[in-house]
């Protein structure tokens, strides 16, 4: 989609290895699609295998300390991502996701998106630790797309072109989104330019209303068909396309000859709702379609990249999947157990990473003076950057034998309140809620722990601020 202008913390973790043994799936989503006569031609996931027999790599990470890379595979055939390998490799430094491998055998791997018709490029790469999650107790990481991040493959194999039929699904974080253009996954132009109506067919998720929108305030699942985000038969409002913001959201788009559909549901329970099923938009260029067969993630077809969102898994098929097939795929996603079990809410100790800055929360200069405002700095592993969440919901650091609590200065409840170290006293301004969307909020104030001005500089101060979904309010502990 073209537009010139324009979170997920699965608990409080650095995604530690668990003692839960991996169990191979008896059937994956792509096995189900194949049985239904609509086989996968692209299958991407950083969390699990999408075929019961898949035993290859899921994705690749690169660490900043020496720019070396590591492929992250599964713990067993048909199993979950080997998050422990990533944790070990990225320990003491930061990592980005450099490639997301296609499990279908077609070689449709997603890499850094190049410059396109929209301003800017090549795109930035996703922080590899910004979207920790669990699947049936197994730790894994999603792909956290901040504005400016994006992935693409313009030289694909097997992807639908022209007016040929396809089906697409993605499992997304329904609480991480914005109104920027365009958080997409699916079929796009092969030249990274806006090539006109009908040259795309991708899942869109967010609150952009310039072309189409649904009921409520959003976010909505819509189809990006280029020069239009469609929630129904025409641009504009479709009251049957609901706000869909489950923590783990299943989003589906199906497209064939003058027929397409939107389906959505809770990726943790229940079935799918059909938000639209009918004819193509009644505008020149969409019937027949002119799909080109590239694959994008987190961006629009012309590399518009002001969007945000989190992706866990998704596929593209050849052929228009039946409702029975899609129902079986949804049941498989639910059975994968996103967000269930594991130690993702545990009270472990480690560095508290500011996702947007790639720095660590610290007690500046290891001071033992209560009232000192905390800041962010290059991660060093020092005691002044080691934080523990205890059973009282306090965040504590022990420096030179003294233990301090993270504290909202003066029991402040207004945006801009300084966050300081202070002697622990059991009061609510020293208690913190760790949220599944990656934020940390003060129990007393309800405000978010925030890096002032979204700065990425060493010494940037930390305060309380109204929660706004920004990457400067995203945190992980490792």
């Amino acid at each position: 989609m073209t537009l010139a202008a324009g979170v997920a913390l699965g608990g409080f973790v650095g995604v530690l290895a668990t003692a839960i043994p991996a169990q191979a799936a008896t059937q994956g989503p792509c096995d189900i699609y194949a049985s239904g006569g609509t086989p996968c031609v692209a299958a991407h996931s950083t969390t699990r295998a999408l075929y019961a027999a898949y035993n290859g790599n899921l994705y690749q990470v690169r660490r900043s300390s020496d720019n070396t890379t590591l492929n992250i595979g599964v713990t067993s055939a048909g199993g979950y991502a080997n998050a422990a390998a990533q944790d070990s490799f990225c320990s003491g430094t930061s990592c980005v996701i450099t490639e997301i491998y296609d499990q279908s055998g077609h070689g449709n791997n997603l890499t850094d998106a190049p410059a396109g018709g929209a301003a800017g490029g090549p795109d930035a790469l996703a922080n590899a630790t910004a979207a920790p999650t669990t699947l049936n107790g197994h730790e894994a990481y999603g792909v956290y797309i901040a504005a400016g991040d994006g992935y693409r493959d313009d030289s694909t194999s097997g992807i639908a072109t022209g007016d040929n039929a396809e089906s697409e699904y993605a499992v997304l974080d329904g609480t991480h989104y914005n109104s920027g253009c365009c958080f997409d996954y699916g079929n796009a132009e092969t030249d990274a330019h806006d090539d006109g109506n009908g040259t795309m067919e991708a899942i869109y998720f967010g609150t952009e209303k310039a072309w189409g929108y649904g009921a409520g305030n959003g976010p909505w699942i819509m189809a990006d068909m280029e020069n239009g985000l469609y929630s129904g038969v025409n641009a504009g409002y479709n009251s049957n396309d609901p706000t869909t913001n489950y923590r783990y959201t299943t989003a589906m788009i199906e497209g064939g000859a003058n027929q397409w559909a939107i389906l959505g549901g809770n990726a943790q329970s229940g079935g799918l709702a059909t938000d639209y099923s009918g004819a193509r938009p009644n505008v020149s260029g969409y019937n027949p379609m002119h799909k080109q067969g590239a694959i994008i993630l987190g961006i629009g077809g012309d590399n518009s990249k002001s969007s945000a969102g989190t992706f866990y898994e998704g596929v593209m098929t050849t052929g228009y999947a039946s409702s029975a097939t899609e129902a079986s795929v949804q049941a498989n996603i639910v059975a994968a157990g996103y967000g269930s079990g594991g130690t993702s809410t545990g009270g472990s100790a480690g560095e508290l990473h500011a996702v947007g800055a790639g720095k660590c929360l610290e007690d500046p200069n290891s001071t033992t003076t209560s009232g000192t405002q905390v800041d962010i700095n290059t991660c060093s592993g020092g005691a002044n950057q080691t934080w523990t969440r205890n059973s009282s919901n306090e965040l504590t650091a022990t420096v030179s034998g003294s233990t301090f609590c993270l504290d909202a200065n003066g029991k402040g409840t207004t945006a801009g309140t300084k966050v300081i170290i202070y002697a622990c006293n059991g009061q609510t301004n020293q208690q913190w809620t760790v949220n599944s969307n990656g934020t940390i909020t003060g129990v007393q104030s309800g405000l978010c722990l925030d890096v002032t001005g979204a700065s990425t500089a060493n010494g940037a101060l930390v305060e309380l601020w109204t929660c706004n979904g920004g990457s400067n309010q995203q945190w992980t502990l490792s």
Side-chain angles (χ1 to χ4, degrees):
M1 192 58 249
T2 305
L3 184 63
V7 323
L9 176 62
F12 195 77
V13 295
V15 182
L16 307 174
T18 70
I20 303 171
Q23 293 182 344
T26 57
Q27 197 174 37
C30 286
D31 301 308
I32 296 169
Y33 278 119
S35 296
T38 53
C40 293
V41 288
H44 303 107
S45 176
T46 57
T47 63
R48 64 168 180 148
L50 300 178
Y51 294 83
Y54 188 77
N55 199 26
N57 294 315
L58 300 180
Y59 62 105
Q60 182 187 85
V61 296
R62 183 180 70 222
R63 62 188 178 196
S64 60
S65 58
D66 58 8
N67 285 325
T68 59
T69 60
L70 178 71
N71 287 329
I72 306 299
V74 290
T75 53
S76 63
Y80 305 98
N82 187 357
Q86 175 179 314
D87 287 336
S88 177
F89 182 74
C90 299
S91 178
T93 186
S94 60
C95 280
V96 293
I97 298 173
T98 51
E99 189 162 6
I100 305 168
Y101 296 113
D102 174 18
Q103 300 178 31
S104 76
H106 284 264
N108 296 321
N109 302 332
L110 298 175
T111 56
D112 188 13
D123 294 358
L125 296 167
N127 183 315
T129 60
T133 187
T134 58
L135 291 85
N136 286 325
H138 298 268
E139 308 290 359
Y141 291 99
V143 184
Y144 184 97
I145 299 290
D149 298 347
Y151 296 83
R152 193 179 197 110
D153 183 1
D154 287 330
S155 300
T156 61
S157 168
I159 304 300
T161 58
D163 206 34
N164 291 326
E166 66 180 350
S167 298
E168 304 166 342
Y169 89 76
V171 176
L172 309 170
D173 180 348
T175 67
H176 182 208
Y177 55 87
N178 68 4
S179 61
C181 181
C182 287
F183 184 74
D184 291 348
Y185 172 71
N187 198 321
E189 297 96 334
T190 55
D191 61 1
H193 284 71
D194 178 352
D195 291 331
N197 295 2
T199 54
M200 289 183 62
E201 185 169 67
I203 297 166
Y204 166 80
F205 187 74
T207 55
E208 174 57 66
K209 298 178 68 174
W211 299 275
Y213 59 100
N217 296 320
W220 306 286
I221 303 166
M222 296 192 283
D224 191 341
M225 300 188 202
E226 191 56 273
N227 296 327
L229 296 177
Y230 285 93
S231 62
V233 67
N234 288 314
Y237 176 61
N238 173 16
S239 61
N240 292 320
D241 189 17
T243 290
T244 305
N245 56 3
Y246 302 109
R247 171 61 181 85
Y248 297 93
T249 292
T250 303
M252 292 181 174
I253 295 293
E254 298 177 319
N258 199 25
Q259 171 72 28
W260 72 284
I262 303 172
L263 298 90
N266 187 342
Q268 293 179 298
S269 65
L272 296 168
T274 300
D275 302 334
Y276 174 79
S277 180
R280 292 288 185 181
N282 186 23
V283 179
S284 177
Y286 297 111
N287 182 31
M289 293 285 284
H290 311 282
K291 293 176 281 193
Q292 295 186 9
I295 305 174
I296 53 174
L297 172 60
I299 53 175
D302 66 348
N303 199 43
S304 298
K305 54 179 181 176
S306 59
S307 56
T310 297
F311 172 92
Y312 299 106
E313 64 178 73
V315 312
M316 300 170 67
T317 78
T318 180
Y320 200 111
S322 69
S323 58
T325 296
E326 299 290 34
S328 294
V329 168
Q330 167 67 358
N332 181 277
I333 292 167
V334 170
Y338 274 100
S340 64
T343 58
S344 63
T345 58
S348 57
E351 295 173 331
L352 189 54
H353 293 266
V355 169
K359 305 290 176 69
C360 282
L361 185 73
E362 69 169 9
D363 167 14
N365 301 312
S366 299
T367 183
T368 57
T369 302
S370 280
T372 300
Q373 188 171 7
V374 295
D375 64 15
I376 59 170
N377 214 317
T378 302
C379 299
S380 65
N384 68 318
Q385 292 185 352
T386 301
W387 299 89
T388 300
R389 183 190 182 207
N390 62 30
S391 59
S392 299
N393 294 320
E394 296 167 334
L395 294 172
T396 67
T398 301
V399 179
S400 301
S402 298
T403 298
F404 297 92
C405 276
L406 201 65
D407 178 290
N409 186 45
K411 300 182 182 178
T413 58
T414 59
T417 295
K418 296 178 181 179
V419 177
I420 62 174
I421 60 164
Y422 204 86
C424 298
N425 55 32
Q427 296 185 30
T428 54
N429 65 314
Q430 294 184 348
Q431 295 173 4
W432 304 89
T433 300
V434 179
N435 303 297
S436 61
N437 65 359
T439 60
I440 298 175
T441 50
V443 168
Q444 183 182 50
S445 68
L447 299 174
C448 273
L449 192 67
D450 177 289
V451 180
T452 303
S455 175
T456 60
N458 284 340
L461 297 173
V462 175
E463 62 187 3
L464 293 178
W465 199 260
T466 304
C467 298
N468 56 32
S471 61
N472 62 315
Q473 295 182 349
Q474 301 287 320
W475 303 88
T476 60
L477 183 77
S478 65

